[in-house]
Amino acid sequence: MNIKKAAVLGSGVMGSGIAAHLANVGIPTLLLDVVPTLLTADEEKKQLTLEDRQVRNRLSTTALAKLTKQKPAPLTSKSSLSLITPGNLEDHLQQLSDCDWIIEVVVERLDIKQQLFERIDSVRKKGSIVSSNTSGISIHEMAKGRSEDFKAHFLGTHFFNPPRYLKLLEIIPTHDTKSEIVEYVKTFGEDVLGKGVVIAKDTPNFIANRIGTYGLLVTVQEMLKGNYSVGEVDSVTGPLIGRPKSATFRTLDVVGLDTFIHVANNVFDKVEGKEKEVFDVPLFMKQMQENGFTSFYKEMEGQTLYYEDDEYKAVKENKKVIHLSSLRSQNNVILENSGASLIDLGDDVACLQFTSPNNAIGLDIISLLNQSLEEVNKNYKGLVIGNQGKNFCVGANLAMILMEAQDDNYFEIEFVIKQFQQAMMKVKYNEKPVVAAPFAMTLGGGAEICLPSAKIQASAETYMGLVEVGVGLIPGGGGNKELYIKQLNGLPNGVTLDLQQIANKTFETIATAKVSTSAAEARQLNFLNRHDGISVNGDHLLNDAKNSILALHDTGYKPPVRTKIPVVGETGYATLLLGAQSMKYSGYISEHDYKIASKLAFVLAGGRVAFGSEVDEEYLLDLEREAFLSLVGEAKSQERMQHMLVKGKPLRN
């Protein structure tokens, strides 16, 4: 079984979102919808008819156009859109015969779904997987009257909106679904689509919507009893009780009132009025207590155990999932200080885990990084830099930098910055490979830790950027140099080297604090190159990074050879300043923004040397450190740092 091409039938928000996510992972997808029965005013103005292809494909082509404008973005890269082909269910149904997976996402009515599946059954190829994205209609009922091969390859695959971001995927087989199909779709969902897969029974609304519908309607009942407002309900049913900030009613807006009514009616019609049986302390629970078992789950020696048949059994874990907390509990910590831990991942690979507040980089992390490199070079095959916090790393310890600056302690700041720069050089030229495993927010110093590594294995949802200008500074840990080098080394074969163009692009990325909206976009911005990897399933990230270390080791990894770097020099510096000056004169940036941009331009240009001069890395690091320190001393930069620490957003002064 191999899904090389897919089709999504239904181009609404959910259907187009599923098509987008399939395209995100590189699967060519056909997106079909019904043929319109009425012309729009615009179509009439163009004198089109209901027989014109533009009209017949309107629903799917309109859905594709919306994908590039939706927030949050359904596509990890706009280039993925080219993998989706629009069409309609009349003219293009026969094309389903080329598809390995056909996903139905039409209106939540059993009769309409059954009619569509009858048509699909007449054109699909044997062995192709067919699934419904229903929110809760019976999968078994949908398949009634279909061929034996259809039934054997049919199941529910319930994605949640928005499909790119929400992790859960419910798989609902019927009694006729082949077990190997269920297992294949589960593995495909985890490994290729990056989902957390749950196998559900074919009961009304399955698992999540069964619980969610009840919870939402009970919340509405309590709201009406207490005469609470929508805002009051959302204020107490979001993060306050460990739920997403969309809480109750903003979540309902995302789901859609029409969809929720279908879901609610489905569970009401199928469940309400039936006899309910209540157990007053079930027999198996009495037996549990009598035999000394007091909970359904427990932790033992780093493993999660569950109660079944009068004993505790180990929960079956996906071997691709690594839990750093479990490894810690199994005494796998090699080194540790207040900001980081070095943990043995097994197979002679170690992981440096940040544990400081917000994973902010300070001397404690830098110190343990240096110790970790020494330990790895003696006893391990390589080092993964990764963690399992909310974000990979949002930068250096800004509060410490501001405090030292306000005390005029620039010697201490220079010492920290130099230590950071030197540590990044050690990472780059380390004897054993270092693989960074970023995810979520990877900003400022977090990005600087990744750039010099032998390889970056990034989560698909990685938001990477050098954002120091937002706090009145420029990158200080070698990030300017490393992004410039990534741009140099990232040129496709046969493309002529244009130093000024590369300097311009690097300058623009850093000066405008560009942050990727995905790992795919990070690659377009050259934070990642063609050798770096992307893990669609964030739960597999550390394992993928570990395997990258093993692959590098097994192929005879050698650190890069130190070479000099060509720069644009004084003439290139003047060119970079021209762009910044035009932005200042147009009112787009402030005087202080221009001062920051001029410092950045000087560093990237390589200072006062001739165009095309080759300089060494230490020279560029000296320029960077000098520029960083001069900006730290600026009152307006300190105002920006203070504002970011207090307000959590940049100040434009």
Side-chain angles (χ1 to χ4, degrees), residues 369-582:
L369 172 58
N370 288 327
Q371 294 177 56
S372 297
L373 293 173
E374 291 179 13
E375 176 68 22
V376 164
N377 288 340
K378 290 177 185 175
N379 300 311
Y380 292 85
K381 293 178 179 177
L383 176 68
V384 171
I385 300 179
N387 63 77
Q388 292 173 323
K390 181 180 178 181
N391 296 299
F392 175 75
C393 176
V394 293
N397 189 334
L398 189 62
M400 180 273 292
I401 293 171
L402 177 61
M403 181 179 69
E404 298 293 354
Q406 290 173 337
D407 288 344
D408 292 328
N409 196 353
Y410 296 104
F411 174 82
E412 181 68 23
I413 297 173
E414 182 176 19
F415 174 77
V416 173
I417 296 303
K418 192 163 188 175
Q419 289 289 310
F420 190 15
Q421 290 179 337
Q422 290 175 344
M424 294 306 97
M425 290 290 280
K426 287 180 182 178
V427 165
K428 184 172 184 175
Y429 296 106
N430 193 57
E431 174 189 336
K432 302 288 181 69
V434 177
V435 173
F439 61 93
M441 293 295 183
T442 303
L443 305 177
E448 290 182 290
I449 281 177
C450 298
L451 289 170
S453 58
K455 179 179 179 180
I456 300 173
Q457 183 68 39
S459 166
E461 297 302 331
T462 297
Y463 318 120
M464 185 179 286
L466 295 168
V467 296
E468 285 82 353
V469 295
V471 290
L473 305 171
I474 67 167
N480 308 288
K481 165 181 70 74
E482 288 301 334
L483 184 59
Y484 179 68
I485 292 171
K486 278 263 191 183
Q487 304 271 19
L488 284 173
N489 296 339
L491 288 175
N493 293 332
V495 175
T496 305
L497 176 65
D498 185 334
L499 277 184
Q500 189 64 58
Q501 186 179 12
I502 289 170
N504 291 349
K505 186 175 180 182
T506 309
F507 176 76
E508 180 188 0
T509 300
I510 300 174
T512 59
K514 285 187 178 178
V515 177
S516 70
T517 60
S518 65
E521 194 171 278
R523 181 165 277 156
Q524 293 169 2
L525 293 172
N526 277 105
F527 287 110
L528 307 183
N529 61 27
R530 61 184 178 275
H531 303 296
D532 296 322
I534 297 176
S535 298
V536 180
N537 193 325
D539 289 344
H540 299 176
L541 179 61
L542 288 180
N543 187 68
D544 292 344
K546 174 184 170 182
N547 287 335
S548 294
I549 291 286
L550 296 174
L552 288 167
H553 176 271
D554 292 345
T555 52
Y557 175 79
K558 299 292 181 188
V561 177
R562 292 177 185 255
T563 57
K564 294 206 170 187
I565 303 157
V567 293
V568 294
E570 282 193 285
T571 57
Y573 170 57
T575 302
L576 293 174
L577 280 187
L578 278 175
Q581 284 171 349
S582 66

Side-chain angles (χ1 to χ4, degrees), residues 89-101:
L89 288 166
E90 301 299 328
D91 304 328
H92 306 107
L93 193 73
Q94 189 61 43
Q95 293 183 23
L96 298 183
S97 62
D98 296 330
C99 298
D100 305 299
W101 185 14

Side-chain angles (χ1 to χ4, degrees), residues 87-157:
N88 67 74
L89 288 166
E90 301 299 328
D91 304 328
H92 306 107
L93 193 73
Q94 189 61 43
Q95 293 183 23
L96 298 183
S97 62
D98 296 330
C99 298
D100 305 299
W101 185 14
I102 302 164
I103 308 172
E104 169 273 310
V105 200
V106 300
V107 65
E108 288 285 78
R109 274 182 49 187
L110 179 60
D111 58 334
I112 291 176
K113 292 179 187 291
Q114 287 174 327
Q115 291 166 20
L116 180 58
F117 287 131
E118 183 177 4
R119 298 176 65 198
I120 292 170
D121 204 1
S122 68
V123 297
R124 62 177 282 273
K125 64 183 177 183
K126 283 192 174 183
S128 63
I129 297 168
V130 183
S131 68
S132 172
N133 188 65
T134 178
S135 298
I137 295 175
S138 170
I139 306 300
H140 177 77
E141 289 295 320
M142 290 185 207
K144 278 187 176 179
R146 302 283 54 80
S147 66
E148 291 304 312
D149 187 78
F150 183 102
K151 290 179 179 178
H153 295 84
F154 180 65
L155 69 169
T157 49

